[in-house]
Amino acid sequence: MTSAITRIRGRITALLPGRSDLAEIRRDPRRDLLAGLTVAIVALPLALGFGVSSGLGAEAGLATAVVAGALAAVFGGSNLQVSGPTGAMTVVLVPIVAAHGPTGVLTVGLMAGVMLVALALLKAGKYMQYVPAPVVEGFTLGIACVIGLQQVPNALGVPKPEGDRVLLVTWRALEEFAKDPNWTAVAFALAVAAVMLTGARWRPTVPFSVLAVIAATGVAQVAGLDAAKPIGDLPSGLPAPSLAFLDTGALGSLLAPAVAVTALAALESLLSASVADGMTVGQKHDPDRELFGQGLANIAAPLFGGVPATGAIARTAVNVRTGASS
């Protein structure tokens, strides 16, 4: 018994940040600060949007970006990874919200965090290399299609129809638009997309997504255009941590969704960390430490009302391009 406890303690110690991590932080703090500021600007609208898409509201996305992003960065196994709410996770969360409500999502996130920590203790991160490339490509393409379809009602400026089946909701949104077209909303959506795509090719390090959103918002406000309803008020700070959402009687019915969220968080986070390694020289992530950091992040995020988080490829890429090193 004593030897088992000693092994577990040693394993946890090996997963915690060490002196080498502190040395990396002191190497180029000015460049890291600039990269962090740039990523924060890019991550803010993404966090708000994914919070709304998940069904828990913009404040949930913001809490996730702050709490999960900080913990995963400190305890994770990559010097470059940026974590938070993602589109892929949103796709998984929508049916959970429909079936179990917001409290069910928070419970699933907590359970997934515990499972991720367990995977890290079992040294499961190394098995990521055995996932076939076509599986990864198919997963990424499928998620991209679902995310695009989810945004059709907003892009058309129509109320989102009821339901959790993306194709059916999209079709109903198209029917509503055909009855009462909102060309202003369509023009805004196309203009913002055009600025984002062309700007990313012209100046990859400039956050054109944020600039486009700011410009479109300003035009809509000044001209008094009826583009779409605003997100609403955001909290001025994080709520106090609480476990009031936890219903132990529902844990059994939430086990399967929690396993799905765990698998997605592990897969997407390790994929993102691998992509970051490939974008730079001399960087190599520790997959088990990355799972450990993601686990702690997902345990903490629900306590503040946040949704499950993963490593985010888009934000991580921005981090690398702006010169982050720790």
Side-chain angles (χ1 to χ4, degrees):
M1 182 69 177
T2 304
S3 60
I5 295 176
T6 302
R7 285 197 300 270
I8 294 174
R9 185 181 300 167
R11 181 62 185 148
I12 294 176
T13 302
L15 294 171
L16 294 175
R19 291 183 178 180
S20 60
D21 300 291
L22 297 177
E24 287 287 341
I25 293 175
R26 292 194 294 265
R27 190 171 68 177
D28 197 346
R30 181 178 298 179
R31 178 176 290 184
D32 285 335
L33 182 61
L34 177 61
L37 179 61
T38 304
V39 173
I41 294 173
V42 173
L44 178 59
L46 291 174
L48 298 177
F50 289 141
V52 172
S53 298
S54 69
L56 270 74
E59 62 275 9
L62 188 60
T64 306
V66 174
V67 176
L71 286 176
V74 172
F75 293 99
S78 171
N79 288 331
L80 307 171
Q81 178 94 288
V82 178
S83 302
T86 64
M89 186 61 75
T90 300
V91 172
V92 176
L93 296 180
V94 169
I96 299 176
V97 173
H100 303 282
T103 58
V105 171
L106 299 180
T107 304
V108 164
L110 184 64
M111 296 170 67
V114 173
M115 292 180 189
L116 286 167
V117 171
L119 289 175
L121 295 174
L122 294 172
K123 301 182 179 181
K126 60 184 178 182
Y127 296 109
M128 175 62 201
Q129 60 183 317
Y130 299 113
V131 178
V135 173
V136 176
E137 293 293 337
F139 165 81
T140 306
L141 178 60
I143 290 297
C145 292
V146 173
I147 293 172
L149 291 173
Q150 282 182 333
Q151 304 312 310
V152 169
N154 288 330
L156 297 179
V158 300
K160 184 179 179 180
E162 294 293 330
D164 57 355
R165 296 184 179 181
V166 180
L167 284 174
L168 182 59
V169 170
T170 302
W171 179 254
R172 290 175 177 171
L174 291 171
E175 290 179 333
E176 289 295 324
F177 180 80
K179 296 176 183 177
D180 185 17
N182 186 343
W183 297 112
T184 303
V186 174
F188 270 102
L190 292 176
V192 170
V195 171
M196 290 171 59
L197 293 174
T198 56
R201 288 180 175 272
W202 179 48
R203 288 286 189 275
T205 58
V206 177
F208 278 97
S209 57
V210 179
L211 297 179
V213 170
I214 292 175
T217 302
V219 170
Q221 293 294 324
V222 172
L225 300 176
D226 182 22
K229 66 177 183 179
I231 289 176
D233 294 333
L234 294 175
S236 58
L238 292 174
S242 172
L243 274 172
F245 63 86
L246 186 60
D247 180 8
T248 55
L251 295 181
S253 61
L254 293 173
L255 180 60
V259 170
V261 169
T262 301
L264 176 58
L267 179 65
E268 189 173 13
S269 297
L270 295 180
L271 278 175
S272 177
S274 297
V275 170
D277 291 346
M279 294 178 64
T280 187
V281 177
Q283 293 282 359
K284 186 172 178 59
H285 75 283
D286 183 328
D288 293 326
R289 279 188 59 189
E290 186 60 31
L291 290 179
F292 183 71
Q294 295 295 335
L296 294 182
N298 279 288
I299 289 173
L303 305 182
F304 295 89
V307 298
T310 73
I313 294 178
R315 278 155 275 182
T316 300
V318 172
N319 200 37
V320 175
R321 291 194 185 106
T322 48
S325 61
S326 71

